[in-house]
Amino acid sequence: VAAPIYELYYWPGIQGRGEFVRLALEYAGVPYVDVARRPRGMAAMMKLLERGGGAGLVPFAPPFLKRGDLVIAQTATILAYLGPRHGLVPRDEVSQLRAQQLQLTIADLVAEVHDTHHPIAVSLYYEDQKREARKRSRVFVEERIPKYLGYLERVLDHNGGAHLVGDAFSYVDLSAFQVVVGLEYAFPNAMARLARKIPLLRRLRDQVARQPRIAAYLASERRLPFNEQGIFRHYPELDLRPPRRVVSSRARTRSRSRRPRSGKRT
Ligand SMILES: N[C@@H](CCC(=O)N[C@@H](CS)C(=O)NCC(=O)O)C(=O)O
């Protein structure tokens, strides 16, 4: 068996941004080493972060990918590199530009997801910025999730319904799968409320999960579970309240007996 040509460097223990790269490599069936999850891998990653190595910039932050002497950082750039080499994007330039734009939009969304639990500082614990996190998340679930996912839904619709770019799975479809399942983990109530507005995106999520190599990956131990150290964290206090229909009849009676609501939402 040939030695893997790619080394992926990403924080061990979380899916994080590394997951967008893992999904692409797994779907393409390209062997890779997840370096920091191996013995002494963290030391190797820190060394590259501090001093760089080989060709390419010294990376600012994981994930980064190493192929021989070449080191590439930034999730969207890594995917733009892998795409044409492994059948993860159509061959023409226009499609590749589209894919890159969509991937960068997904990266913007991912940064906003991160800021729901760390609105003030990455260096502070969630517990030290809970109040701000609640304020930030409120706007995120009410306005930003519908805007971003509504956008992806529209792009799917314009492109025939099944794929975000071209007429086959691309790395963008894989990334869209990841943000949908991530948001469903982190904000189940907000996503339940939005479900009927994003039928194409939900179908895409299911189709990606069914691809044989992705299904095998998701069932393997290489796929780390979502957890509260990653980007998509489930903190119920940051989600919308559960939908009305699951509210108990006692709670309903109680809320009916309150004074009538003013127009302003609290
Ligand atoms: N835009 C970059 C963001 C990279 C990034 O923020 N990586 C996180 C882990 S997911 C990190 O280690 N950040 C360290 C820091 O920002 O100080 C990408 O998409 O790859």
Side-chain angles (χ1 to χ4, degrees):
V1 185
I5 52 172
Y6 292 114
E7 289 180 345
L8 169 65
Y9 291 80
Y10 192 68
W11 303 113
I14 61 168
Q15 294 183 12
R17 289 178 172 92
E19 198 63 15
F20 298 98
V21 183
R22 290 194 191 102
L23 285 167
L25 292 166
E26 294 279 350
Y27 178 76
V30 185
Y32 65 100
V33 183
D34 209 334
V35 178
R37 288 173 68 183
R38 292 207 163 175
R40 292 184 298 282
M42 267 301 282
M45 182 164 99
M46 297 320 285
K47 195 174 138 198
L48 275 172
L49 270 175
E50 277 154 31
R51 281 176 259 166
L57 285 169
V58 179
F60 174 72
F64 51 93
L65 188 75
K66 191 168 185 303
R67 178 182 188 165
D69 209 27
L70 177 65
V71 178
I72 311 168
Q74 287 287 358
T75 311
T77 306
I78 297 168
L79 293 170
Y81 175 83
L82 291 173
R85 282 167 182 81
H86 299 289
L88 289 162
V89 76
R91 298 215 152 269
D92 65 288
E93 189 182 28
V94 173
S95 298
Q96 292 182 16
L97 286 169
R98 277 178 160 216
Q100 200 177 78
Q101 288 168 56
L102 286 164
Q103 193 63 43
L104 285 165
T105 304
I106 288 174
D108 292 343
L109 165 57
V110 170
E112 290 194 29
V113 174
H114 172 273
D115 289 354
T116 59
H117 48 79
H118 280 77
I120 302 298
V122 186
S123 51
L124 290 176
Y125 290 112
Y126 167 62
E127 286 67 27
D128 296 329
Q129 45 194 320
K130 264 181 131 168
R131 274 168 66 99
E132 294 89 349
R134 282 183 85 124
K135 264 182 130 166
R136 176 96 195 195
S137 299
R138 173 121 202 176
V139 178
F140 182 73
V141 295
E142 294 275 358
E143 296 171 14
R144 303 300 283 171
I145 299 183
K147 183 159 183 179
Y148 275 110
L149 297 192
Y151 169 70
L152 293 177
E153 181 76 13
R154 256 183 5 256
V155 173
L156 275 172
D157 191 33
H158 280 215
N159 196 45
H163 300 289
L164 285 158
V165 178
D167 57 6
F169 284 110
S170 70
Y171 65 77
V172 188
D173 291 328
L174 305 175
S175 295
F177 158 82
Q178 178 65 11
V179 292
V180 171
V181 296
L183 288 170
E184 284 171 342
Y185 170 78
F187 303 103
N189 298 335
M191 289 300 282
R193 191 173 78 172
L194 193 64
R196 61 187 172 77
K197 297 212 170 125
I198 52 165
L200 298 173
L201 206 45
R202 283 167 43 233
R203 196 173 71 191
L204 177 68
R205 172 202 63 195
D206 295 343
Q207 294 296 337
V208 168
R210 258 185 233 130
Q211 297 308 299
R213 287 203 191 106
I214 294 294
Y217 168 63
L218 296 177
S220 76
E221 59 183 31
R222 297 192 302 288
R223 170 77 166 186
L224 297 160
F226 284 112
N227 60 39
E228 279 53 61
Q229 280 85 53
I231 291 176
F232 296 101
R233 302 187 185 192
H234 180 51
Y235 294 134
E237 65 273 22
L238 301 187
D239 194 5
L240 284 178
R241 298 250 177 86
R244 271 173 167 266
R245 63 178 176 279
V246 303
V247 173
S248 74
S249 56
R250 245 184 81 200
R252 251 200 320 273
T253 320
R254 238 185 292 136
S255 80
R256 241 188 261 128
S257 64
R258 285 201 200 122
R259 42 189 179 91
R261 283 222 200 154
S262 69
K264 190 169 162 278
R265 290 183 127 167
T266 48

